Amino acid sequence: MTLTQLQVLIAVSEHKNFTRAADALGFTQSAVSQMINSLEKELGILLFHRNRRGISTSYIGERMIQHAREILRITSCMREESSASLGLEAGTLRIGVIPSVSAKVLPGLIGSFREQFPQIDIVLFEGSYEEIHSWISGSVIDVGFTTTPDKELHTFPLLQDQMKVFVSNDSPLKDEPFLTFDQLRGKCFIMVKDYGIQKLLQEHGNVPNVTFEVRDPATILSMVQERVGVTILPELFMPEVLPKVTAVPLRPAITREVVLAVRDFQYVSPVAAEFIVHSQNYMKKVETAGL
C-alpha cells in the first residue's frame, strides 16, 4: 500500500462519495475507485459498503481509517523534523477548538503565530468537547483547545476563565457585589447548552432549576436583557459590546481552565510543539497587558 492510497481512503470516508473525494484530491473518479479496490484486495477486507444510496464505511474500514490517519501523522512528523533540522519551518497544523475559544482567543493567537511562521499551513476544526477529544484520539487534529480534557490526553494550561452571573440592567440584583446560587433560586434560569459548563456548575453547587436551555450565548444575553431570566456564563462568552445586562461576580467563585490537549506529547510534531509554546507565551503577554 502507498501513502496516496491512505490519503484517498481518508478522503472517501470524509466525503462519503468517490467523485467528491476525487475532486478534493485532484484525481479522477476512476483513479480513486481503483486505489480503493486495490487497497481492499491487498488487505482482504471490505472498506466501504456500496449501494444505490451511496457508500458507508464498514466497521473494519473505520479501524483502518484510524490507522491510516496515524501513519500519515507520523510521516508528516518525519517531514517536519527533517525540515526543522535544515532550519526550515514548514508543515501543516490541524487545530481543533471549542466555540467560546474560537471567538475571542483564536484570532489574535493565530495571527501572531502566522507572523512568526508564515510557511506553516493552518487548518481549523470547530466542534464540541466530545468532537475535539475524538479528533485528537483519532489523529484528525494535532492539538485541541478544550476545558474538560479526557484523562488520557496530555494537556498544557492556557488561561483561567471566570464564570459570571448575568442579569438585566433593570434587575435589583445588578447592584449586588456578588451573587450566590441561593440568591438565584426562584428566578427563571437560562442554561447554556454546553456540556462542559453544565458539568462545571453542577460540580460546584446546587444549580437553580433550569427554565430554558439555549445554545447561542448571544440569544441568552438578549433574553436576560428582556428580563426573561438570569444566567451564568464564562467571561469568554461575553461579546465586545454587552447588551443591556450586567455581569456580577459569582460566589463562591468558579473558574474553568482552558487548555491545549494532545494525545501524547512524546509524539507531537515539531510544528504542534512550536504552537503550544507560542500559545502559552502569547496568553501570558495578553494577561500581562490586561487584555
Side-chain angles (χ1 to χ4, degrees):
M1 71 183 72
T2 66
L3 294 179
T4 301
Q5 283 179 309
L6 299 183
Q7 290 171 334
V8 168
L9 171 62
I10 292 171
V12 172
S13 72
E14 291 176 345
H15 291 280
K16 307 295 182 186
N17 183 281
F18 286 114
T19 301
R20 288 197 293 270
D23 290 341
L25 294 171
F27 295 143
T28 64
Q29 188 272 338
S30 175
V32 167
S33 296
Q34 288 178 18
M35 279 189 273
I36 293 298
N37 289 335
S38 175
L39 192 55
E40 288 180 324
K41 189 175 294 184
E42 180 179 348
L43 295 173
I45 58 175
L46 187 70
L47 295 169
F48 298 99
H49 299 297
R50 287 89 158 169
N51 54 50
R52 294 178 180 178
R53 291 175 294 179
I55 65 171
S56 60
T57 310
S58 67
Y59 171 76
I60 189 61
E62 290 286 357
R63 296 286 300 157
M64 294 301 105
I65 289 165
Q66 290 183 18
H67 294 317
R69 291 189 190 280
E70 182 63 11
I71 291 170
L72 293 177
R73 185 189 69 80
I74 291 172
T75 56
S76 176
C77 285
M78 292 173 66
R79 293 192 185 98
E80 290 171 12
E81 287 193 26
S82 61
S83 294
S85 70
L86 298 173
L88 305 174
E89 294 292 351
T92 299
L93 178 65
R94 300 164 300 168
I95 304 170
V97 59
I98 53 178
S100 60
V101 174
S102 63
K104 298 196 75 171
V105 174
L106 208 60
L109 174 55
I110 292 295
S112 66
F113 184 74
R114 294 197 72 175
E115 283 183 10
Q116 189 169 346
F117 304 101
Q119 302 301 318
I120 295 176
D121 294 324
I122 298 175
V123 182
L124 294 178
F125 297 77
E126 186 176 81
S128 65
Y129 300 93
E130 295 85 356
E131 288 174 320
I132 297 296
H133 299 169
S134 174
W135 291 339
I136 293 172
S137 299
S139 297
V140 175
I141 59 177
D142 302 302
V143 61
F145 289 85
T146 186
T147 60
T148 55
D150 292 336
K151 291 181 179 179
E152 62 268 21
L153 298 180
H154 195 113
T155 61
F156 305 86
L158 277 186
L159 62 97
Q160 297 290 327
D161 192 14
Q162 191 86 21
M163 305 295 290
K164 293 289 184 69
V165 182
F166 291 85
V167 299
S168 166
N169 284 351
D170 296 326
S171 170
L173 295 177
K174 74 178 181 64
D175 297 320
E176 295 290 333
F178 58 82
L179 290 169
T180 66
F181 283 145
D182 286 340
Q183 288 174 282
L184 302 181
R185 304 226 173 277
K187 306 290 183 184
C188 173
F189 189 77
I190 308 168
M191 176 70 82
V192 64
K193 277 190 176 181
D194 183 299
Y195 166 75
I197 294 174
Q198 292 181 0
K199 180 183 177 184
L200 182 65
L201 293 177
Q202 289 163 1
E203 288 174 348
H204 284 80
N206 297 316
V207 180
N209 291 330
V210 176
T211 308
F212 299 104
E213 275 197 37
V214 181
R215 188 175 304 280
D216 182 25
T219 301
I220 294 176
L221 293 176
S222 294
M223 293 173 71
V224 171
Q225 173 183 282
E226 298 303 321
R227 295 179 291 178
V228 174
V230 299
T231 191
I232 298 175
L233 293 173
E235 285 186 305
L236 279 181
F237 275 48
M238 293 172 56
E240 293 298 326
V241 179
L242 274 176
K244 295 178 182 178
V245 300
T246 300
V248 181
L250 181 65
R251 290 292 183 274
I254 300 176
T255 59
R256 62 173 191 164
E257 185 177 46
V258 178
V259 301
L260 277 173
V262 297
R263 194 174 68 178
D264 188 338
F265 187 65
Q266 185 177 353
Y267 300 105
V268 168
S269 71
V271 169
E274 198 74 62
F275 179 75
I276 291 169
V277 173
H278 182 90
S279 298
Q280 290 181 314
N281 290 336
Y282 175 84
M283 292 313 305
K284 288 177 182 177
K285 290 179 182 178
V286 169
E287 290 176 9
T288 302
L291 299 178

